[in-house]
Amino acid sequence: MNLLKKVFNFYYEGFKSMTIGKTLWIIILIKLFVMFAVLKVFFFPNILKRNFKTDEERSKYVIEQLTTKPK
Amino acid sequence: MEHFDLSLVNWSRAQFALTAMYHWIFVPLTLGLAFIMAFMETLYYKTGDEEWKRITKFWMTLFGINFAIGVATGIILEFEFGTNWSNYSWFVGDIFGAPLAIEGIMAFFMESTFIAVMFFGWNKVSKKFHLISTWLVALGANLSALWILVANAWMQYPAGMNFNPDTARNEMQNFWEVLFSPVAVNKFLHTITSGYVLAALFVIGISAWYLLKGRNILLAKRSIIVASVFGLITSIFLALTGDGSAYQVAQKQPMKLAAMEGLYEGTEGAPLVVVGALTPGKEFNDEKDPFIFRIQIPKLLSFLGYRSGDAFVPGVKDIIEGGYTYTDKNGKQKVALSAEQKIQRGKIAIQALADYRNAKDAGDTAAMEYNRKLLDENFEYFGYGYLNDPKSIIPNVPLTFYSFHIMVALGFLFIAFFALMLYLIYFKGYNINKWLLRLGIIMVPLAYIASQAGWIVAEVGRQPWVIQDILPTVAAVSRIDASAVQVTFFLFFAIFTTLLIAELKIMFTQIKKGPKDGGK
């Protein structure tokens, strides 16, 4: 417990004493939000995961894609 | 090829190139600066001189800015795999899974744990533990790069796998063959050393600016000496690994080598072009001289590519027409097939995969077995089956040629610059001429240009292949709406440019401020 407290304090004090680091953390958080909550969800769905339930269906689809010409 | 939506393929390629190249702006500095900081902190640990601590902390701040802005930019590439390149991501899934998972775990534990100690741990943990943490951050960052580069090398030289027609995936047969393929080893060493050289030039450039401004003199002088020694050693190693890469390209991707050198007609004792200008509009089978002018070194290309000054180096035309002798990956002498023959064998492989699947659905085991055999026999040319025109196996020759020559020329310029810097410091003390300091500042953007040019050589030079000979870009792309890819291209352009501006602004502000607690 004592160790956990020490580790917590280490990070807490570290973050608290940051100067430029605070700006950087804001940038990182905004960036991660834009990536995971906006881009990933709205612009970059994993189409094989989204459109098919099983790996067998996915492999069948990919084989079809690889062996037929687009219409 | 004409059956594919080329605007979709081209927008997808452009988007991938944009994101990968932006990501690559941040990565090399992280790789090299981490080691430079570790060396500086080692000097602090050994001498106890507080100035070294101040110097280390200053560069650590710039490292932190670059790391923070650059971290996770690579994740977007992974999103693109799932959306724009779903065929590809499924096709390679099993090979990429292990290296990328190891990378994720390693990067997370090594970097998140020890970076915190590195930034927050001054005066809180022992000097020794802090130093170890800094070294582990440097090693961790470089080991993260290893796994990505192993995956990339596999795409350039697929090895250690077997294609499973039931799952449509390449399954890993031999992890060590993937990890230690000669292409992977060279690619890793060459790429990380390019990052070391870039970081050394970055440190020298900023230090040179301080010297020109007459501020932070001790920091600048000490930083220059550390970066110059590090830069000279690593830039020589960069040239050696570059030679190793050229050798691997000659063996495994002869078309890329031909494009790098603008070599249309193969020859024995092929010369290396040192400087040259390509003839615009040159076709592989016309009579035009490929060069408007060129300066070349006799026999050097043969020597670099085949370790013999008299070896035959195939040109673009030879690779398309076939008929020359080469050594395959098992060391056997073979006569090269023409692109037309490879296309025919590729079509047989694709048809065999389709027939195998139909036979499986019909429960016809004899037909399954027959088609499986046919597929295996022709799989090495699988990707050619998607191409209709032999010309489509030629990458963009001017882009590859000029990128390669810019990269090499700058590489040698960097060696000369580091050597000159050290020579002048040794013989003239730190009274370095202003012109050399100004040159030091100019070297920083040049280092980034060289680094990006290297990416272009490696990735544009292998087109049309996503996986060499096995999967071309046209077949790897998901059949989605081209306009959607176009929209996200501009979206990324805006996001990454904003990030870059943010980084430059924060970085320049911090450089102008200098070290937090002054210094001499």
Side-chain angles (χ1 to χ4, degrees):
Chain A
M1 204 56 198
N2 199 24
L3 180 71
L4 279 178
K5 201 177 168 187
K6 270 187 181 173
V7 171
F8 175 80
N9 282 339
F10 176 80
Y11 279 89
Y12 179 75
E13 284 167 22
F15 282 115
K16 223 173 115 183
S17 62
M18 278 178 145
T19 49
I20 180 137
K22 278 183 186 145
T23 316
L24 297 177
W25 272 108
I26 291 168
I27 289 174
I28 290 175
L29 292 175
I30 292 172
K31 192 167 70 174
L32 291 177
F33 176 78
V34 170
M35 279 183 189
F36 287 98
V38 183
L39 293 177
K40 173 85 177 138
V41 177
F42 296 105
F43 295 99
F44 287 95
N46 186 316
I47 58 173
L48 291 179
K49 266 190 189 162
R50 189 191 61 184
N51 297 349
F52 305 98
K53 284 181 186 157
T54 64
D55 277 356
E56 200 177 337
E57 285 175 352
R58 289 180 193 117
S59 65
K60 206 170 175 181
Y61 170 77
V62 173
I63 289 178
E64 199 184 299
Q65 295 278 301
L66 293 176
T67 56
T68 58
K69 286 170 183 170
K71 286 169 190 160
Chain B
M1 284 269 281
E2 66 268 23
H3 297 292
F4 293 93
D5 179 355
L6 282 178
S7 70
L8 167 66
V9 175
N10 289 335
W11 276 111
S12 300
R13 285 173 65 184
Q15 188 188 76
F16 193 86
L18 175 86
T19 40
M21 289 177 82
Y22 263 108
H23 179 53
W24 189 245
I25 291 172
F26 304 109
V27 178
L29 186 61
T30 306
L31 297 178
L33 198 53
F35 275 120
I36 293 178
M37 282 161 13
F39 287 128
M40 289 170 168
E41 193 179 336
T42 306
L43 290 168
Y44 165 59
Y45 180 80
K46 290 273 180 200
T47 62
D49 182 346
E50 286 294 316
E51 189 63 25
W52 277 119
K53 184 180 175 183
R54 221 181 330 266
I55 293 169
T56 307
K57 283 175 98 171
F58 171 69
W59 294 112
M60 215 170 256
T61 306
L62 299 189
F63 172 88
I65 294 167
N66 185 70
F67 185 84
I69 307 271
V71 77
T73 45
I75 287 174
I76 290 185
L77 296 167
E78 211 170 298
F79 296 166
E80 286 175 31
F81 289 157
T83 302
N84 300 356
W85 306 97
S86 59
N87 291 344
Y88 157 81
S89 66
W90 183 262
F91 197 71
V92 301
D94 193 49
I95 304 287
F96 274 34
L100 295 188
I102 296 170
E103 190 272 333
I105 294 164
M106 202 173 247
F108 180 77
F109 283 109
M110 292 284 274
E111 290 172 8
S112 60
T113 307
F114 295 108
I115 273 190
V117 176
M118 193 174 88
F119 282 110
F120 303 156
W122 293 107
N123 308 322
K124 285 183 184 164
V125 297
S126 71
K127 271 170 82 175
K128 193 174 185 178
F129 185 62
H130 193 278
L131 178 66
I132 290 169
S133 299
T134 308
W135 276 102
L136 285 176
V137 166
L139 288 173
N142 281 270
L143 281 176
S144 288
L146 169 73
W147 301 108
I148 302 292
L149 292 166
V150 162
N152 182 280
W154 182 85
M155 290 154 66
Q156 313 267 352
Y157 176 60
M161 92 297 186
N162 188 36
F163 178 69
N164 183 345
D166 292 310
T167 59
R169 302 191 102 166
N170 283 287
E171 294 172 352
M172 197 179 292
Q173 293 294 301
N174 187 336
F175 176 74
W176 303 110
E177 219 178 300
V178 174
L179 180 60
F180 292 117
S181 94
V183 176
V185 172
N186 252 289
K187 181 166 274 297
F188 171 66
L189 294 175
H190 190 58
T191 310
I192 59 165
T193 35
S194 75
Y196 301 164
V197 171
L198 181 140
L201 291 166
F202 176 84
V203 169
I204 292 175
I206 292 166
S207 303
W209 185 76
Y210 282 145
L211 289 180
L212 282 169
K213 292 277 170 192
R215 24 177 314 217
N216 306 314
I217 305 295
L218 191 56
L219 175 143
K221 285 179 174 178
R222 286 188 177 183
S223 298
I224 283 180
I225 190 103
V226 170
S228 297
V229 172
F230 183 69
L232 183 62
I233 294 167
T234 54
S235 59
I236 292 169
F237 194 65
L238 183 65
L240 295 174
T241 54
D243 169 64
S245 286
Y247 176 74
Q248 292 304 333
V249 168
Q251 305 298 314
K252 273 88 182 180
Q253 297 170 297
M255 183 61 96
K256 189 196 274 187
L257 184 79
M260 282 157 67
E261 276 297 295
L263 185 71
Y264 284 87
E265 300 265 1
T267 174
E268 286 174 358
L272 184 85
V273 177
V274 181
V275 184
L278 294 171
T279 305
K282 162 77 184 163
E283 293 282 341
F284 82 96
N285 52 358
D286 65 19
E287 296 301 313
K288 283 183 192 168
D289 187 328
F291 289 91
I292 297 168
F293 83 93
R294 73 189 128 178
I295 299 168
Q296 49 193 18
I297 303 172
K299 295 183 183 247
L300 190 56
L301 184 61
S302 288
F303 184 77
L304 292 177
Y306 298 90
R307 302 297 185 236
S308 160
D310 296 320
F312 177 77
V313 182
V316 173
K317 194 165 183 269
D318 304 279
I319 297 164
I320 286 186
E321 292 176 353
Y324 64 92
T325 310
Y326 74 103
T327 309
D328 75 358
K329 58 180 160 186
N330 302 317
K332 284 183 186 167
Q333 290 274 306
K334 280 189 171 177
V335 175
L337 297 181
S338 68
E340 196 65 64
Q341 288 170 310
K342 289 177 185 174
I343 287 170
Q344 290 315 315
R345 288 191 59 179
K347 289 191 188 304
I348 291 170
I350 293 169
Q351 191 56 49
L353 176 62
D355 292 345
Y356 175 87
R357 193 73 195 191
N358 292 335
K360 191 181 174 188
D361 289 344
D364 184 346
T365 48
M368 277 173 72
E369 206 175 298
Y370 172 77
N371 284 298
R372 174 75 200 246
K373 194 166 172 278
L374 205 56
L375 175 62
D376 288 346
E377 282 169 2
N378 295 286
F379 187 72
E380 64 179 304
Y381 303 109
F382 188 84
Y384 285 89
Y386 296 100
L387 312 174
N388 291 318
D389 181 0
K391 240 169 56 176
S392 56
I393 65 167
I394 307 171
N396 185 322
V397 176
L399 187 56
T400 312
F401 173 85
Y402 289 117
S403 299
F404 174 64
H405 285 80
I406 287 169
M407 174 186 74
V408 173
L410 288 175
F412 282 105
L413 175 69
F414 299 152
I415 295 175
F417 175 75
F418 290 126
L420 181 65
M421 204 60 145
L422 282 173
Y423 173 83
L424 291 177
I425 289 170
Y426 188 78
F427 287 103
K428 293 195 170 183
Y430 278 99
N431 297 319
I432 304 165
N433 289 333
K434 279 192 174 175
W435 66 266
L436 190 59
L437 294 176
R438 287 194 190 106
L439 190 63
I441 296 170
I442 295 167
M443 286 290 160
V444 181
L446 290 182
Y448 280 94
I449 290 170
S451 187
Q452 295 287 340
W455 186 89
I456 293 170
V457 174
E459 304 306 314
V460 175
R462 75 166 139 127
Q463 291 299 318
W465 305 113
V466 173
I467 306 168
Q468 183 72 35
D469 297 342
I470 291 178
L471 195 70
T473 321
V474 288
V477 76
S478 309
R479 291 173 201 172
I480 53 175
D481 190 1
S483 62
V485 185
Q486 201 177 345
V487 167
T488 47
F489 172 89
F490 289 109
L491 195 65
F492 279 2
F493 183 72
I495 291 172
F496 277 103
T497 306
T498 310
L499 282 174
L500 187 62
I501 292 168
E503 176 181 66
L504 290 175
K505 199 164 177 286
I506 301 171
M507 194 78 99
F508 285 143
T509 308
Q510 207 56 35
I511 291 165
K512 271 185 195 165
K513 273 189 192 166
K516 199 177 165 188
D517 39 5
K520 297 165 195 170

